[in-house]
Every structure is written in structure tokens, then in C-alpha cells.
Amino acid sequence: MELEALKSNAISNLNSLMKNEPNISTGLAAIKTLLKTLEISKATTAIELDAELDAVVSAMESTDHSSTSIRSASNLFRKFISLAPADLIDQPDFVNILNFYNNRGRIFIERVARSRDLIGKFSRPFFAHSTRLLTHSYSKVVLSVLRKAQESGVDLEVFVTESQPNASGKKMHEELTKMGINSTLVLDSAVGYLMERMDAVIVGAEGVMETGGIINKIGTLSIAICAKMMNKPVYVMAESIKFVKEYPLNQSDIPEEFKYRTSVRAGRKDLSSEHPEVDYTPPSFITLLFTDLGILTPAAVGEELIKLYT
């Protein structure tokens, strides 16, 4: 299939998944789109297939969905499927290799689909009755974790920031209320006032960096700093497909494609006056990360990334 047609199909498939499967993560939608590409690929060599996958990833990153999640999930998916035995790689018939990649891709997706259940299992002992939690923005994995805790009989009290400028916290508050979880929507500016009453901060992440820090909705850093000053733990809930091979040391090190939507960056050279959508929270402000790989300290993330890519 022509690359332009592949790119168009990829964008259509990604948008359809995000629209029709409300609980799907951006990363999982991205790798399902890559698997779809493998299933329809007519490539006859590894070089042709790499060109097709490159085009699809580029197309997905051109949408307004999280570039951080798309990049990390796509890179890990491609690494996983490429771990083929040498005798298979040497075969002249590329169809056999494509079939192998397809099978590996399905295995990878099955593993990713279990991620939230595992995160919920690992985090459950950290939540007791009447635990007061502060969360920021809208996170599907945090929702899943809180749902699991509720289903196990734990009564939680959750405070949700409005998460301006797009007020994504309002959606989080509405979902928690529908689930029957005691939820209060609060102003972003009220974080300092409320923090002394909280037992912990719980947030998701668009990307977990090699440093052990995270890229997440703008305002996460401010909340983490406040929590650190008041000796409150900050827990991050994130699937391992969000692990990114990036090593930012400060806010200016965040790639522009992570900070701004594609529609915002299009045709603009100067973004200095544009409001970034995410910030970088360094590992020093994070207590633990709950992932499908287990409970990690920020310092352990780099080692896990090495394992994922080798």
C-alpha cells in the first residue's frame, strides 16, 4: 500500500479507536494501529516494513493526541516484535517474518491490556479507609486504580483540581461521582490550602522519562513541589508503554512536540507566548511509580528502560 494511504488509514484508525473506546489509552490505540498496519502490509523486505511503520508513527504524531504516549508505545512495540530468532530473519520469504511480527504484536497488546489491572493490584495496599487523595487532570489509569480500590471495599475521599486551562479535572470529577466515589472539585489555586489535609497525591503520566521523572498535565510540578514541602507522598500510576527514552533535566529540555499539540505547532516558529500543555516533574518530587512492571522508585526507571529495549 502507498505510504500516503497508510498514513491516512493510520490517522483514521487512531481517531476511531480513541472515539469509540473511551477507556483506551493513547498508547494502546497507537500500538493497535501499528498492528493493523502489520496485518495489511505488503512489504517484501525489512526496509520496506520499517518505512511503512515510520510513516504510520509519523502520521499518528501529527494528530492532536499525546505525542509522548504515541512515541513511547510505538518504540516499545516495534522493539518487541523485532525480537525474532536468527534462523527466521535469514529466511528469504518475508511473509513468514511478517506473520511472526503479527503474532508478537498480538502478544504485546494482550500484555498491555492487563497493565491497569496489575497497577491496581500493586497500589491497593497503599489505600486505606477514608484515605484522602489529591489528583490532577483526567487520567484513565488513575480512574481504574480508584475503581479497583472501591470495588475491594475501600472508601476514599478524592479531591480533584479543575486542571485549567482545559478544565480536564471536571471530567475526572464527573467520572468519579458516577462510580460512587466521594469526589470534590477544587480550584488549582487551592492546592496549597488543601495539601496539609491530604494523605497522598496520585497522578497519571503522559510519559515516564529515563530520569524517573514524568511528563504530565501542566500544574503537576507545582502540586508535587507543594506535596514535597509538606511531606506528602506523590504516587504516579503509569503503564510501562509510557516509558520514554528521553533525559530532560529541566522544563526547557522537554521536546516541543510533547509540550504543544500539533495543531498549535503547525506553521509557527515562535511558541514562546503559547501555553504549554504539560510540565516535567523531576524524580526528586516523586515517591513511587506504580506500573505493570511493579512498584518502582524513580531511580529504578532507567534500569527498567534498559531491560525493555534489550
Side-chain angles (χ1 to χ4, degrees):
M1 183 180 290
E2 294 288 341
L3 291 184
E4 288 304 316
L6 273 177
K7 292 166 71 172
S8 178
N9 285 345
I11 292 173
S12 176
N13 191 70
L14 179 68
N15 288 335
S16 176
L17 286 168
M18 295 299 293
K19 179 181 179 181
N20 298 324
E21 298 185 30
N23 291 324
I24 197 171
S25 68
T26 303
L28 182 54
I31 60 179
K32 281 189 172 184
T33 300
L34 285 172
L35 179 62
K36 188 72 174 178
T37 302
L38 287 175
E39 291 172 345
I40 64 175
S41 176
K42 301 299 181 182
T44 56
T45 65
I47 293 176
E48 288 180 9
L49 181 61
D50 279 341
E52 290 181 353
L53 296 178
D54 284 342
V56 168
V57 173
S58 176
M60 290 191 292
E61 288 186 336
S62 73
T63 68
D64 273 347
H65 302 297
S66 170
S67 293
T68 315
S69 298
I70 290 170
R71 179 184 299 184
S72 59
S74 298
N75 287 345
L76 286 169
F77 176 83
R78 294 177 69 174
K79 179 64 179 178
F80 184 83
I81 65 170
S82 66
L83 297 177
D87 58 339
L88 178 64
I89 296 296
D90 292 336
Q91 287 189 18
D93 190 353
F94 195 70
V95 172
N96 293 330
I97 298 175
L98 267 179
N99 289 336
F100 176 85
Y101 287 169
N102 271 288
N103 290 332
R104 292 279 292 179
R106 294 186 188 98
I107 292 171
F108 188 78
I109 287 175
E110 288 174 3
R111 290 185 180 181
V112 171
R114 296 194 296 268
S115 294
R116 290 178 188 169
D117 286 340
L118 289 171
I119 294 170
K121 176 183 176 182
F122 294 140
S123 61
R124 168 62 188 85
F126 287 76
F127 305 130
H129 284 293
S130 301
T131 296
R132 286 182 169 180
L133 301 171
L134 177 67
T135 191
H136 182 57
S137 189
Y138 177 78
S139 167
K140 293 172 183 176
V141 66
V142 169
L143 269 176
S144 176
V145 165
L146 296 177
R147 182 185 294 110
K148 292 291 181 183
Q150 182 203 39
E151 289 173 351
S152 68
V154 177
D155 292 323
L156 300 171
E157 188 173 0
V158 183
F159 293 78
V160 188
T161 59
E162 281 188 337
S163 312
Q164 297 293 353
N166 65 352
S168 55
K170 289 184 178 180
K171 181 178 180 181
M172 186 72 169
H173 168 63
E174 290 169 0
E175 291 297 323
L176 288 169
T177 302
K178 288 177 185 177
M179 289 161 48
I181 293 177
N182 186 2
S183 174
T184 304
L185 187 67
V186 301
L187 297 172
D188 293 340
S189 55
V191 167
Y193 175 82
L194 290 167
M195 189 61 74
E196 63 184 20
R197 298 165 53 196
M198 297 299 107
D199 295 305
V201 172
I202 174 174
V203 295
E206 288 198 16
V208 178
M209 304 296 106
E210 196 171 351
T211 59
I214 64 168
I215 298 290
N216 197 44
K217 175 69 183 290
I218 190 77
T220 302
L221 173 60
S222 302
I223 293 172
I225 291 173
C226 185
K228 179 84 169 182
M229 293 301 295
M230 295 190 182
N231 296 313
K232 305 295 182 178
V234 176
Y235 300 139
V236 176
M237 310 288 153
E239 304 97 321
S240 59
I241 58 168
K242 293 181 178 178
F243 284 21
V244 189
K245 293 181 74 174
E246 293 281 347
Y247 205 95
L249 298 177
N250 50 47
Q251 305 304 316
S252 61
D253 286 343
I254 306 173
E256 285 194 349
E257 59 269 27
F258 289 3
K259 290 194 287 187
Y260 308 104
R261 292 181 183 271
T262 301
S263 57
V264 172
R265 290 185 288 113
R268 297 181 60 179
K269 294 182 179 180
D270 183 13
L271 293 165
S272 58
S273 62
E274 190 62 41
H275 198 299
E277 296 202 354
V278 301
D279 57 27
Y280 169 62
T281 301
S284 57
F285 297 109
I286 296 170
T287 308
L288 291 171
L289 297 102
F290 294 84
T291 78
D292 48 295
L293 303 177
I295 304 172
L296 306 177
T297 63
V301 171
E303 183 178 347
E304 292 299 326
L305 257 171
I306 293 173
K307 292 177 183 177
L308 288 170
Y309 279 94
T310 55

